[in-house]
Amino acid sequence: MSVNSIKPRKSSDRSKHELPSEKSDKPANEQIKKKQVGGVVRAIRLLDLLVSEGPLRFAEIEDRSGLPKATLHRMLNDLIDERFVIFDERALSYNAGYRILEMANRVWTRSDIRMLARDQLLALSALTGETVQIAVHADTHVVVIDHVESTQSVRLSISVGNKSPVYCSGTGKVMLAWCDAQRQESIISRISFARYTPNTVTSLPELHKDLALISKRGYALDLEESFIGTNSIAAPIVDHGGQAIAGISITAPTFRVGVDELVQWKESLIAAAAEVSRRLAPRAGGSMDSSIN
Amino acid sequence: MSVNSIKPRKSSDRSKHELPSEKSDKPANEQIKKKQVGGVVRAIRLLDLLVSEGPLRFAEIEDRSGLPKATLHRMLNDLIDERFVIFDERALSYNAGYRILEMANRVWTRSDIRMLARDQLLALSALTGETVQIAVHADTHVVVIDHVESTQSVRLSISVGNKSPVYCSGTGKVMLAWCDAQRQESIISRISFARYTPNTVTSLPELHKDLALISKRGYALDLEESFIGTNSIAAPIVDHGGQAIAGISITAPTFRVGVDELVQWKESLIAAAAEVSRRLAPRAGGSMDSSIN
DNA sequence: AACATTGTTCCATCTTTCGCACTGTTGTGC
DNA sequence: GCACAACAGTGCGAAAGATGGAACAATGTT
């Protein structure tokens, strides 16, 4: 039972922050030697379960998490005490609590990169009249941390916190392109491709070709690769060593904005992203170590 | 060292979810020697520390959390692995990670009470042209979970996730007023009053008097009690037994909307809140307590 | 009343914990 | 440049405490 189990581990394989999470979607050769995790990590996985799958009853949680009853009870009670989990006494169901929103609110309002980028987003939005977003890198995905939507647009208003795979979003591809080879390879090797639209990049050769083009041009295009009817253009925000840590994108519906028009905004977009990069490096010397870019 | 320390506890006082957190903002007479907490809770407190106080270096975290070095390292690494914490290799500082935003996004989009209330918020906003919010109860505070701002203000709104004390917000007072006596007493006893404006309720007699009026009227007024220049009116969303679990409020600047005008919206507001209450109880019998349901 | 499910208690085991001692790195003052 | 201090991070091991299987109690449900 419980394919994606959450069992304890020997506290030995303390790897070097190599992002061992990213629960693989492939329940292939399950030697049951699943990475044993400690109490804290188990609690987080548990929370994730509740956040993802609506309210769950105890038996369901027990089943899906694979945690033993007694432990699960203790953990849930801890999370309830901290308001990370809500217990519905009538339905006897557990659900994610609103303390998460509180924390997110603080993270959001205090995010320095977001604050540094805000005026640039507003300027781009005013210039283009389209939706502008900033997203940060998160392993094999990118997470939107702010967005400005101009005039009454009807689309996904709540994109903050949205996560997309690196290979099918403008910001994601930009993030890959401005990445040292080793790190890029590490990320790419952990991608599991899925086709969202006919245009989605779903193979390594395609992706590598695209990345080469992107880093040559200085910006990335996403032409209906994640959503039909939506194009976007993205540019990187880089750190001291030229590594992308975030990206800014302009998103527009295909019926309103053609590719040519989108590309016309590239200078402004790149300039905005560069400006944010510059602000992020109050202490940067200039170029670093070996290579100069 | 470490006033607000986070040390382990004997796993015995498993109280009945009595919300023992609520770190008071006043580090005053703290002889309440920290209740000993388990690993999971300690990790949450640690996360809270990072979320609240920007990026911190190791020594600072050690100091402020009171956790021993080795333990702290393990915990931080676990949180980093799960992307709840970001480690800045250049500055050697730890900060809250964006995984929190991802989770919050899911919590937000999947919140059923929010979804049930959305159209009512929109209707109220259209009617009044002012900001409308819905907030849920959170011990001695209330947390905003959604809002609609009539004038084109876009963003995920700084207000979602915002926390206010129960005694100085319309929704908060409403939450207290529709509460059984025992629970009300429990909450009130844990309030630590602070004066935000000259109008803030800062004593129990005042509060009780206000609450009596509120439950008689069916709505609560907040007349510049938390912010100068801002009034609001709020009505309760109640569960099966008449307990408030959330509140809807209309907020307006004093210069634009007088109290009389605000009160004129009470019928619409109360009706909207009642409608949401009704939707929340697909299974509710009718009257409350023991008898026939 | 029999049943199903949630929740609690017990306790032998095994992991985590955490003080301490140690290494490596960064920066400060002379 | 040097020594020195401050800090980040790791390894060790005895003690503390979490873990989890199972039996038990307390709920609803049929």
Side-chain angles (χ1 to χ4, degrees):
Chain A
M1 22 236 93
S2 94
V3 177
N4 208 347
S5 163
I6 310 176
K7 283 288 180 66
R9 91 182 141 203
K10 275 233 142 320
S11 63
S12 37
D13 61 324
R14 225 30 10 285
S15 60
K16 199 71 169 173
H17 300 166
E18 267 310 309
L19 307 165
S21 68
E22 190 57 32
K23 45 175 94 166
S24 73
D25 318 21
K26 333 196 77 179
N29 55 355
E30 253 359 276
Q31 195 67 355
I32 305 185
K33 292 294 184 182
K34 214 39 184 174
K35 52 193 82 163
Q36 315 267 55
V37 294
V40 173
V41 174
R42 281 198 286 176
I44 291 174
R45 302 268 170 89
L46 173 58
L47 189 58
D48 217 27
L49 179 66
L50 288 175
V51 165
S52 303
E53 340 249 321
L56 293 176
R57 299 249 306 292
F58 188 87
E60 299 176 291
I61 300 174
E62 198 180 357
D63 209 42
R64 281 148 144 309
S65 71
L67 292 172
K69 212 171 158 186
T71 305
L72 190 50
H73 261 293
R74 274 188 302 250
M75 228 164 233
L76 284 171
N77 282 329
D78 281 349
L79 290 172
I80 288 170
D81 286 346
E82 293 294 325
R83 295 194 301 105
F84 268 79
V85 168
I86 297 172
F87 178 60
D88 183 333
E89 299 196 5
R90 259 213 304 172
L92 296 185
S93 66
Y94 299 83
N95 205 350
Y98 292 105
R99 173 92 174 267
I100 298 169
L101 286 189
E102 289 173 47
M103 274 202 176
N105 178 271
R106 282 231 182 107
V107 171
W108 193 81
T109 53
R110 292 168 43 83
S111 161
D112 40 354
I113 180 167
R114 198 202 106 257
M115 291 190 282
L116 290 177
R118 192 103 235 268
D119 65 330
Q120 299 295 314
L121 300 196
L122 287 167
L124 282 175
S125 174
L127 172 71
T128 65
E130 300 296 338
T131 295
V132 180
Q133 297 185 319
I134 177 174
V136 295
H137 184 90
D139 197 20
T140 60
H141 293 250
V142 289
V143 178
V144 175
I145 62 170
D146 202 1
H147 80 155
V148 176
E149 209 165 321
S150 86
T151 59
Q152 77 303 33
S153 179
V154 214
R155 62 190 62 263
L156 35 149
S157 44
I158 264 320
S159 46
V160 171
N162 253 9
K163 194 160 99 167
S164 322
V166 277
Y167 60 88
C168 71
S169 58
T171 43
K173 292 193 292 185
V174 139
M175 226 78 90
L176 274 184
W178 276 262
C179 221
D180 64 58
Q182 183 188 344
R183 187 172 171 75
Q184 186 186 85
E185 196 44 54
S186 160
I187 295 167
I188 289 180
S189 71
R190 271 177 286 118
I191 290 178
S192 55
F193 289 99
R195 180 175 293 284
Y196 294 90
T197 77
N199 291 356
T200 304
V201 175
T202 53
S203 75
L204 272 75
E206 279 182 278
L207 182 58
H208 278 119
K209 202 172 110 188
D210 205 358
L211 291 180
L213 190 59
I214 288 165
S215 60
K216 195 173 107 189
R217 281 175 175 160
Y219 62 89
L221 285 176
D222 158 16
L223 303 176
E224 296 185 298
E225 291 169 34
S226 52
F227 297 104
I228 291 292
T230 301
N231 290 336
S232 78
I233 181 171
I237 294 173
V238 297
D239 68 7
H240 53 298
Q243 304 283 302
I245 55 174
I248 299 181
S249 68
I250 304 170
T251 307
T254 53
F255 70 80
R256 194 193 308 149
V257 178
V259 178
D260 297 342
E261 207 171 338
L262 203 60
V263 173
Q264 282 180 354
W265 293 325
K266 69 179 178 188
E267 281 87 5
S268 307
L269 175 65
I270 291 173
E275 169 62 16
V276 178
S277 305
R278 204 181 55 69
R279 293 178 186 170
L280 276 172
R283 241 189 129 41
S287 49
M288 293 203 53
D289 62 353
S290 45
S291 58
I292 306 166
N293 48 349
Chain B
M1 15 248 100
S2 94
V3 178
N4 209 346
S5 171
I6 310 175
K7 282 288 181 65
R9 98 186 134 197
K10 271 233 144 305
S11 62
S12 39
D13 61 323
R14 213 83 313 305
S15 61
K16 202 70 167 169
H17 302 165
E18 267 310 310
L19 307 166
S21 70
E22 188 57 32
K23 52 164 84 160
S24 70
D25 320 20
K26 328 204 81 178
N29 54 354
E30 244 14 78
Q31 86 229 42
I32 313 172
K33 263 345 176 192
K34 50 275 173 172
K35 44 201 80 155
Q36 314 270 56
V37 294
V40 172
V41 174
R42 280 198 287 176
I44 291 175
R45 301 269 171 88
L46 172 58
L47 190 57
D48 216 28
L49 177 67
L50 288 175
V51 165
S52 303
E53 341 249 320
L56 294 176
R57 300 249 307 291
F58 189 89
E60 298 175 292
I61 300 173
E62 199 180 357
D63 208 42
R64 283 151 149 303
S65 70
L67 292 172
K69 214 173 166 185
T71 306
L72 190 50
H73 260 293
R74 250 177 303 106
M75 224 163 236
L76 285 171
N77 282 329
D78 282 348
L79 290 172
I80 289 170
D81 286 347
E82 294 294 324
R83 296 195 300 104
F84 268 81
V85 168
I86 296 172
F87 178 60
D88 183 333
E89 300 195 4
R90 262 214 301 174
L92 295 184
S93 66
Y94 298 82
N95 205 348
Y98 292 106
R99 172 92 175 265
I100 298 169
L101 285 190
E102 288 173 48
M103 273 201 176
N105 178 271
R106 282 233 182 105
V107 171
W108 194 83
T109 53
R110 292 167 45 83
S111 162
D112 41 354
I113 181 167
R114 198 201 106 258
M115 291 190 282
L116 289 177
R118 193 101 235 265
D119 66 329
Q120 299 294 315
L121 299 196
L122 287 167
L124 283 174
S125 175
L127 172 71
T128 64
E130 299 296 339
T131 295
V132 180
Q133 296 185 320
I134 176 173
V136 296
H137 183 91
D139 197 21
T140 60
H141 293 251
V142 289
V143 177
V144 175
I145 63 170
D146 202 1
H147 84 155
V148 176
E149 212 165 316
S150 130
T151 54
Q152 82 308 30
S153 169
V154 197
R155 61 215 177 191
L156 161 69
S157 66
I158 316 156
S159 40
V160 170
N162 249 11
K163 196 161 100 167
S164 323
V166 277
Y167 59 89
C168 71
S169 58
T171 44
K173 291 193 292 186
V174 141
M175 226 78 89
L176 274 183
W178 277 262
C179 223
D180 64 58
Q182 182 187 346
R183 186 172 172 75
Q184 185 185 87
E185 196 43 56
S186 160
I187 295 167
I188 289 180
S189 71
R190 271 176 288 118
I191 291 177
S192 54
F193 289 99
R195 181 174 294 284
Y196 293 90
T197 78
N199 290 356
T200 304
V201 175
T202 52
S203 74
L204 271 76
E206 279 181 278
L207 183 58
H208 277 118
K209 202 171 112 189
D210 205 358
L211 291 181
L213 190 59
I214 288 165
S215 59
K216 195 172 109 189
R217 281 174 175 162
Y219 62 89
L221 287 175
D222 158 18
L223 303 176
E224 296 185 300
E225 291 168 33
S226 51
F227 297 104
I228 292 292
T230 301
N231 291 336
S232 77
I233 180 170
I237 294 173
V238 298
D239 67 6
H240 54 298
Q243 304 283 302
I245 55 174
I248 299 181
S249 68
I250 304 171
T251 307
T254 53
F255 70 81
R256 193 194 311 152
V257 177
V259 177
D260 297 341
E261 206 172 340
L262 204 60
V263 173
Q264 281 180 355
W265 292 325
K266 70 179 179 190
E267 281 87 5
S268 307
L269 174 65
I270 291 172
E275 169 62 17
V276 178
S277 303
R278 205 181 54 69
R279 294 177 184 171
L280 275 172
R283 237 187 133 42
S287 52
M288 55 204 86
D289 68 354
S290 47
S291 41
I292 316 162
N293 47 344

